[in-house]
Amino acid sequence: MEFRQSLARRILIAFVLMTTLVGGTFSVGIIEVVHLIEEQLISRDLNNELERVLTQNIAQGRPPALDSDTRFYSSAGPAPHAIPESLANLAPGFHEVFESEASYHALVRERDGNRYVLLQDQSEFEAREQVLYQVVLVGFGLSVVLALLLGWILSRKVIEPVVRLAGQVRHRDQLLGRAPPLAPDYAGDEVGQLAQAFDDTLGRLREVLNRERLFTSDVSHELRTPLMVLATSCELLAENPGLDARGKAQVQRIARATEEMRDLVQTFLMLARAQREEASLAPRERLGQVADELAGQWRSAIENKGLAFDYQPGPDQDARYNAPFLRSVMGNLLRNALHYTDSGRIRLVVRERSFLVEDSGVGIPEEDREAMFRAFVRGPAKRGDGLGLGLSLVQRICDSQGWSVSLSAVQPSGCRFEVNLEERTGVAS
């Protein structure tokens, strides 16, 4: 499994590990150097002392003149200078000998077939040496703790511009044309280069979004004129006394399609101009009011196809929503249900701050449901010449308003779309 940590934590871990490695190396080095110097110095002193004893005392037949903490043993001499059994097997050279809680430095030398041992009590020296080792160990521990503290402070200082840059990039105003550049706020280091890269990328993204908005706005604006002509012509044809019932039905159908197209154009135009002040100017209506209107509009088309239409208005509500967006979401879901249902029924259920559209149509497999809200994606049971933009538009509107839409299956077949109009935190309607 990949080891994932934040950048600040990785800096802290690297700092502490480096300090531990360097501090540990120095601590071990100090201990080894102290031990080596101890062996060399004491070995030299014992050699000089033993040479003095052999040349100035033993060679002249006098007893060894030694300090109280030093003992002399010889294989050629009687007690009390006879070599103890514990020292009899020591090889020539320098040794450390421990007896109970006492510690000794021993020097063994052979001369003229005799073995000589000089033993010096080093308990006090060993105690000081242990204190030195403890000081080194405590110093190592303190250096690790200090490295942890300094690493935490430095990691925050190092990561601070990156966190600030991330916050600026995440700000929603960065995609607006008036957003100031990021690079001037930073030095010419790696963070400054990153800020400049964000400026370049965001600049290109703003250009693309601006072109898309201009295109959508221009297309929507140009479509209004022919739609107005169609709507006016339908009104004039409906008043023609010579038009039979079948002709009037066709005219009404054209008028409904024209009205749907007008709402769709208005929806695209509002999405293209998705600004807070412009969205606030859109007409707002109650959920029940929009549902009543669309239920009356779609009932005849649904029942003419031989389907049952179950409309449940739900409780009265005072909350008001963006009417063009709400109408477009509900209308697209009803159109989608009608298009993919050949028998059975379609339900429109209004609840408190939510509604659902349910059908008994062909349904959508579970593995395809998430992809259905992407543009140009159609279900397995493709019908007609649609481009697969209806559900994508529903998702886009819900995202812009802070609403949520979910898709689930209906047994034995069919789909249930539920739209929750509770505004998500941080999304402006």
Side-chain angles (χ1 to χ4, degrees), residues 254-331:
I254 295 173
R256 284 197 304 269
T258 303
E259 186 64 27
E260 292 176 16
M261 186 58 132
R262 186 186 301 172
D263 289 342
L264 188 59
V265 168
Q266 179 66 18
T267 298
F268 279 125
L269 186 59
M270 292 181 64
L271 287 174
R273 298 174 178 175
Q275 304 293 334
R276 181 191 299 268
E277 58 273 10
E278 294 186 0
S280 63
L281 298 177
R284 305 181 74 83
E285 297 180 4
R286 292 190 298 270
L287 173 60
Q289 184 179 351
V290 174
D292 290 341
E293 175 187 339
L294 290 178
Q297 178 180 329
W298 285 93
R299 181 178 295 277
S300 59
I302 293 173
E303 292 178 348
N304 288 339
K305 194 175 180 180
L307 304 174
F309 183 51
D310 180 13
Y311 172 48
Q312 301 178 19
D316 293 334
Q317 303 178 41
D318 294 330
R320 294 178 181 269
Y321 307 94
N322 187 308
F325 282 163
L326 181 57
R327 192 177 291 111
S328 182
V329 169
M330 191 178 295

Side-chain angles (χ1 to χ4, degrees), residues 69 118 161 203:
D69 59 349
L118 193 64

Side-chain angles (χ1 to χ4, degrees), residues 43-77:
S43 175
R44 185 189 63 185
D45 291 343
L46 290 179
N47 265 306
N48 294 336
E49 183 72 9
L50 181 59
E51 185 67 22
R52 184 188 64 79
V53 170
L54 293 177
T55 57
Q56 297 182 12
N57 297 138
I58 302 300
Q60 298 179 10
R62 293 183 298 177
L66 299 171
D67 296 333
S68 60
D69 59 349
T70 306
R71 305 176 191 174
F72 174 78
Y73 300 101
S74 171
S75 61

Side-chain angles (χ1 to χ4, degrees), residues 35-343:
H35 186 74
L36 179 62
I37 294 177
E38 170 196 358
E39 181 176 345
Q40 290 179 348
L41 292 179
I42 295 179
S43 175
R44 185 189 63 185
D45 291 343
L46 290 179
N47 265 306
N48 294 336
E49 183 72 9
L50 181 59
E51 185 67 22
R52 184 188 64 79
V53 170
L54 293 177
T55 57
Q56 297 182 12
N57 297 138
I58 302 300
Q60 298 179 10
R62 293 183 298 177
L66 299 171
D67 296 333
S68 60
D69 59 349
T70 306
R71 305 176 191 174
F72 174 78
Y73 300 101
S74 171
S75 61
H81 299 300
I83 299 177
E85 293 183 2
S86 59
L87 305 177
N89 296 325
L90 294 179
F94 179 79
H95 302 276
E96 288 189 69
V97 179
F98 299 93
E99 294 181 359
S100 299
E101 297 181 356
S103 61
Y104 301 89
H105 288 153
L107 180 66
V108 180
R109 181 185 293 183
E110 292 182 351
R111 176 182 291 184
D112 300 331
N114 295 320
R115 176 183 289 263
Y116 302 97
V117 178
L118 193 64
L119 194 66
Q120 190 177 61
D121 187 356
Q122 297 294 328
S123 299
E124 184 178 351
F125 181 85
E126 287 293 331
R128 290 195 297 267
E129 190 177 54
Q130 292 300 320
V131 172
L132 175 63
Y133 291 161
Q134 291 175 4
V135 170
V136 171
L137 182 61
V138 171
F140 171 72
L142 289 177
S143 66
V144 173
V145 173
L146 184 61
L148 185 64
L149 178 61
L150 290 178
W152 183 81
I153 296 174
L154 292 177
S155 65
R156 290 296 181 273
K157 291 294 184 181
V158 170
I159 208 68
E160 181 181 358
V162 179
V163 174
R164 182 159 59 94
L165 177 60
Q168 290 176 308
V169 172
R170 280 197 302 265
H171 198 280
R172 59 188 175 189
D173 289 343
Q174 282 300 326
L175 294 181
L176 303 181
R178 63 175 180 270
L182 302 173
D185 293 341
Y186 299 91
D189 53 8
E190 291 80 359
V191 179
Q193 296 175 12
L194 182 61
Q196 185 61 54
F198 275 122
D199 281 339
D200 297 339
T201 303
L202 288 172
R204 291 192 294 268
L205 182 58
R206 292 187 197 104
E207 293 178 0
V208 172
L209 289 175
N210 188 49
R211 288 197 298 268
E212 187 269 340
R213 287 170 180 166
L214 289 175
F215 172 78
T216 307
S217 178
D218 291 342
V219 170
S220 301
H221 183 270
E222 293 300 324
L223 284 175
R224 285 180 173 181
T225 300
L227 287 175
M228 183 63 67
V229 173
L230 285 173
T232 305
S233 300
C234 288
E235 291 178 1
L236 293 175
L237 286 173
E239 296 176 358
N240 188 355
L243 198 64
D244 58 10
R246 182 178 180 183
K248 289 183 178 180
Q250 292 296 330
V251 170
Q252 291 175 358
R253 183 178 179 185
I254 295 173
R256 284 197 304 269
T258 303
E259 186 64 27
E260 292 176 16
M261 186 58 132
R262 186 186 301 172
D263 289 342
L264 188 59
V265 168
Q266 179 66 18
T267 298
F268 279 125
L269 186 59
M270 292 181 64
L271 287 174
R273 298 174 178 175
Q275 304 293 334
R276 181 191 299 268
E277 58 273 10
E278 294 186 0
S280 63
L281 298 177
R284 305 181 74 83
E285 297 180 4
R286 292 190 298 270
L287 173 60
Q289 184 179 351
V290 174
D292 290 341
E293 175 187 339
L294 290 178
Q297 178 180 329
W298 285 93
R299 181 178 295 277
S300 59
I302 293 173
E303 292 178 348
N304 288 339
K305 194 175 180 180
L307 304 174
F309 183 51
D310 180 13
Y311 172 48
Q312 301 178 19
D316 293 334
Q317 303 178 41
D318 294 330
R320 294 178 181 269
Y321 307 94
N322 187 308
F325 282 163
L326 181 57
R327 192 177 291 111
S328 182
V329 169
M330 191 178 295
N332 270 285
L333 294 179
L334 288 171
R335 182 185 298 106
N336 192 73
L338 176 62
H339 192 63
Y340 286 96
T341 305
D342 294 326
S343 61

